[in-house]
Amino acid sequence: MPRKVRLMLGLVLAVAMAIGFMGVPAAAQVQFEAWGPHVDEIIMPIIREQQARRIAFERGESIVWSGLTQPADIDHARTLPYADMRWTLGFHMFYTCFNMRKAPLDSQVLRQAIAHTVDRDNIIRTLFKGYMMPMSSFVPQVSPFFNPDVPTYEYSLEKAAEVLDAAGYKLDPATGTRIDPNTGKPLPDIKLMTPTYEVAATSAEIGKIISESARKVGIPLVHEPTDFNTMLDKIDYHDFDMYCLAWSLSKNPTHLVSFFHSRNDVEAGYNNPGIRNPELDRILDLLDSAPDLATAKEAADAAQLILAREMPYIPLYSRPYIDAFNKTLVTGYVDMAGFGAASYNNPWTLLNIRRVDRNGRPIEGGTIRWALSEEPKNLNYAVASSAYEWEVLNKTADGLIISHPETLEDMPWLAEKWDVGVWEVEPGKQGTVITWYIRKGVKWSDGMPFSGEDVKFTIEFLKNNQVPRYLPNTEHIVKVELVDQYTVKVYFDNVSYWHIYNAGLAFLAKHIWEKVEDYRTFEPWNEPHPTIKGYNQVVGTGPFILKDYVPGEYVRLVKNPNYWRLNPTEL
């Protein structure tokens, strides 16, 4: 590990230890368990304004003040005697994305010049007091797939000007704007979208800082704070120049395929910059179909080098997960490596969290309030895209496998076990075949049995409909075979180390979704259940049921009485 990365890791860990040791001793934590949940109801008030979420936490109206990024908030939370600070390095990337499909940002030189104007160290120092980790590659530093040899674009306005001058982007002294050598005219305004200050103040401020810096070298970058849901729509339809957002990533580097392979440059797909590079596609295909870990690592390294040259994103920082829980109200939250204690990607806190009595002892049942920081736009498993939507939906869904919270090892979940083998796709060509052995006795939240038929239906539904959000999961699937009610074989057209994770879907209840005519317009949260009065069609296998959603006010989830892990069982 390079010395600079070691120093940054050391700084982050030192701050984490300071947060942990300077806090007041927490209420007794229950031992991590693989069953639950232990509360009857979660009410998620929608609190879009950042300071209002702080006040809600201080008043006990939210059990957690989650995803802390602003130093003032972190420092303030540390002063609260009832706040238990949890710190976990995360698989996270905050980035600025370019739309490479149109001029002027189809120019590699212009993208590289803008990268030189971004002072990430200053952003982290001034906005985050050093709590974030600078990121200059496309894989987080904590990942085993991080390539430390990727070239970086140092912050230098002088270097940015040199790059522009050398490529013919001369400065027009009359306007102070660079002349586009391709048109002979001043560069048009380039709009940089961010969420609004009310929704994400630091993201908005970053957009302002980047825009001001770029204008110092004659690049007319204009900061444009935008309503979050409007921003998502514009990104889906490729109606943008640049934007700032963050990704929550996974332990695997397959996000490189999803984000940067040309086949994912489709409406509502994940290749938002629209990068189309044949050399990169070839290497990403190798990464996608790597038969072993060594091949995957080599391909991930090579992809990061090409991306550093192409610059579809400017990676800015990787965020550790910093969450403050009110230990006078709850206990049992679980730190998960790479994801934090309060992230929607962490299923263990959801299972283990409990209310506490006046003496800090865990108790069963009752209601907790967990603030939701943005309006969920869509609660359809096939369409939902934002973290705010999945903060709700992930509480209603389970997968075939799950990751251990400490080691991130794969553990059986809805599947009791699985086998990985090969089959002959055609003469001379092999593919992966995965056999899933579905756990017996699992029910959907409406009481209907969950079986291999639902697994087969979901995969075929998503593939046949070419659902954009799941293209990376389904594109290599050739067929799905139902061996019996609890055994499913999934056949892929190539051999890949990653195919086991391509069944990491939010499964669709066949008895609900087989009647859906158009998945894009289906609103299951607004549709009454066909047989159960007072229930909607968000039917999942997870620990909670979506009971109510009042836009602008709250989401209410109740314990799933049919959940298969309500009582202690062996995995």
Side-chain angles (χ1 to χ4, degrees):
M1 182 181 291
R3 182 173 181 269
K4 182 177 181 181
V5 175
R6 288 200 300 269
L7 288 174
M8 286 306 304
L9 279 169
L11 173 61
V12 172
L13 291 171
V15 175
M17 289 193 298
I19 290 177
F21 292 146
M22 291 177 66
V24 178
Q29 291 285 92
V30 297
Q31 187 175 1
F32 153 65
E33 296 168 343
W35 62 280
H38 297 279
V39 296
D40 296 328
E41 181 181 57
I42 300 176
I43 295 177
M44 306 184 76
I46 299 167
I47 308 176
R48 300 177 66 180
E49 208 275 322
Q50 197 164 17
Q51 291 308 308
R53 292 195 295 274
R54 172 185 62 80
I55 294 170
F57 178 71
E58 292 175 338
R59 291 177 175 174
E61 296 168 0
S62 177
I63 54 97
V64 62
W65 189 10
S66 63
L68 299 179
T69 57
Q70 293 197 53
D73 290 338
I74 298 169
D75 292 342
H76 178 67
R78 290 170 58 185
T79 69
L80 302 175
Y82 48 84
D84 184 10
M85 305 293 293
R86 315 307 301 176
W87 177 290
T88 312
L89 295 178
F91 294 119
H92 170 275
M93 172 171 61
F94 188 94
Y95 65 100
T96 297
C97 178
F98 296 103
N99 189 343
M100 300 169 57
R101 301 175 185 86
K102 59 182 182 178
L105 293 174
D106 58 346
S107 166
Q108 183 186 100
V109 168
L110 184 57
R111 298 193 302 271
Q112 291 175 346
I114 294 174
H116 277 298
T117 70
V118 176
D119 189 353
R120 57 176 57 80
D121 289 339
N122 181 59
I123 289 171
I124 291 170
R125 184 172 60 251
T126 57
L127 296 185
F128 302 108
K129 287 179 63 175
Y131 284 119
M132 303 297 116
M133 177 175 285
M135 186 175 181
S136 57
S137 185
F138 296 79
V139 174
Q141 290 95 324
V142 296
S143 169
F145 293 91
F146 170 69
N147 183 353
D149 299 321
V150 169
T152 60
Y153 293 82
E154 63 172 322
Y155 166 66
S156 171
L157 297 182
E158 292 77 13
K159 182 66 176 177
E162 289 176 12
V163 169
L164 292 167
D165 288 338
Y169 288 87
K170 301 302 182 182
L171 190 65
D172 180 4
T175 63
T177 301
R178 295 281 170 171
I179 301 297
D180 188 338
N182 300 298
T183 65
K185 299 178 181 179
L187 286 169
D189 284 350
I190 300 170
K191 296 179 180 179
L192 172 56
M193 285 195 304
T194 70
T196 62
Y197 278 89
E198 291 76 17
V199 171
T202 52
S203 298
E205 189 64 19
I206 287 171
K208 177 184 176 184
I209 291 172
I210 291 174
S211 298
E212 290 176 348
S213 183
R215 289 200 297 272
K216 291 178 181 178
V217 296
I219 300 173
L221 204 56
V222 179
H223 179 217
E224 190 173 74
T226 305
D227 172 78
F228 188 76
N229 288 328
T230 300
M231 184 174 170
L232 291 182
D233 284 340
K234 285 179 172 288
I235 293 170
D236 279 349
Y237 294 113
H238 310 154
D239 180 21
F240 69 94
D241 297 328
M242 294 172 62
Y243 69 82
C244 288
L245 275 182
W247 286 116
S248 290
L249 305 175
S250 74
K251 61 183 179 180
N252 301 325
T254 47
H255 67 272
L256 298 175
V257 181
S258 300
F259 296 166
F260 305 119
H261 198 290
S262 62
R263 65 172 172 263
N264 295 320
D265 178 19
V266 296
E267 185 178 296
Y270 282 121
N271 184 347
N272 293 329
I275 181 172
R276 290 176 172 269
N277 181 309
E279 179 190 9
L280 178 62
D281 281 353
R282 180 184 62 79
I283 290 171
L284 292 177
D285 284 335
L286 180 60
L287 173 63
D288 201 29
S289 61
D292 52 54
L293 186 60
T295 304
K297 181 69 169 68
E298 183 179 353
D301 283 350
Q304 290 172 73
L305 290 171
I306 295 174
L307 289 167
R309 181 182 72 235
E310 287 281 358
M311 291 303 292
Y313 289 177
I314 303 174
L316 293 174
Y317 66 83
S318 182
R319 175 173 67 84
Y321 287 91
I322 306 173
D323 307 304
F325 285 85
N326 187 326
K327 62 190 176 186
T328 68
L329 298 178
V330 290
T331 188
Y333 29 90
V334 179
D335 298 324
M336 185 173 184
F339 297 111
S343 167
Y344 69 90
N345 285 311
N346 178 350
W348 302 105
T349 288
L350 194 63
L351 288 180
N352 283 267
I353 199 164
R354 295 163 165 84
R355 295 188 309 136
V356 297
D357 62 20
R358 292 181 180 180
N359 297 313
R361 292 187 295 257
I363 56 177
E364 292 289 317
T367 298
I368 61 173
R369 297 176 67 85
W370 188 317
L372 186 61
S373 57
E374 181 56 82
E375 188 83 46
K377 175 186 172 186
N378 195 307
L379 295 177
N380 174 333
Y381 292 122
V383 178
S385 60
S386 77
Y388 309 110
E389 292 155 356
W390 283 104
E391 275 199 48
V392 176
L393 289 177
N394 266 17
K395 294 175 173 60
T396 70
D398 268 345
L400 294 179
I401 59 178
I402 199 169
S403 295
H404 189 280
E406 296 172 359
T407 66
L408 296 181
E409 284 186 70
D410 296 323
M411 301 167 58
W413 205 240
L414 290 180
E416 289 184 320
K417 60 179 180 177
W418 56 89
D419 295 327
V420 181
V422 295
W423 71 295
E424 191 172 52
V425 181
E426 57 188 43
K429 181 182 180 182
Q430 288 188 324
T432 296
V433 57
I434 301 176
T435 305
W436 295 100
Y437 300 91
I438 308 303
R439 195 178 298 275
K440 297 180 177 66
V442 176
K443 294 181 179 180
W444 290 101
S445 54
D446 62 1
M448 294 291 287
F450 171 80
S451 72
E453 290 188 16
D454 297 294
V455 175
K456 182 176 189 292
F457 170 82
T458 298
I459 295 173
E460 291 179 341
F461 182 93
L462 297 174
K463 183 173 179 63
N464 293 341
N465 285 281
Q466 291 289 287
V467 179
R469 301 296 178 193
Y470 296 96
L471 285 176
N473 299 81
T474 61
E475 62 184 338
H476 290 293
I477 293 176
V478 175
K479 61 180 179 177
V480 185
E481 176 186 348
L482 188 66
V483 178
D484 58 45
Q485 191 175 5
Y486 296 102
T487 309
V488 180
K489 286 182 176 288
V490 184
Y491 295 83
F492 296 84
D493 64 9
N494 63 350
V495 176
S496 174
Y497 181 76
W498 313 109
H499 282 326
I500 190 174
Y501 303 107
N502 285 334
L505 309 170
F507 288 103
L508 309 176
K510 179 181 178 183
H511 63 282
I512 297 292
W513 281 79
E514 64 184 352
K515 303 179 182 71
V516 173
E517 295 181 0
D518 186 348
Y519 77 89
R520 292 164 296 190
T521 59
F522 181 42
E523 296 186 350
W525 68 99
N526 285 326
E527 294 290 334
H529 192 277
T531 60
I532 303 176
K533 187 176 180 179
Y535 189 31
N536 56 60
Q537 294 191 34
V538 180
V539 176
T541 57
F544 287 90
I545 296 172
L546 176 65
K547 184 64 176 176
D548 300 300
Y549 170 32
V550 180
E553 295 187 27
Y554 66 88
V555 172
R556 178 177 168 231
L557 301 149
V558 297
K559 181 191 288 189
N560 176 4
N562 295 304
Y563 190 50
W564 65 283
R565 296 204 67 83
L566 284 179
N567 300 307
T569 54
E570 292 293 329
L571 283 179

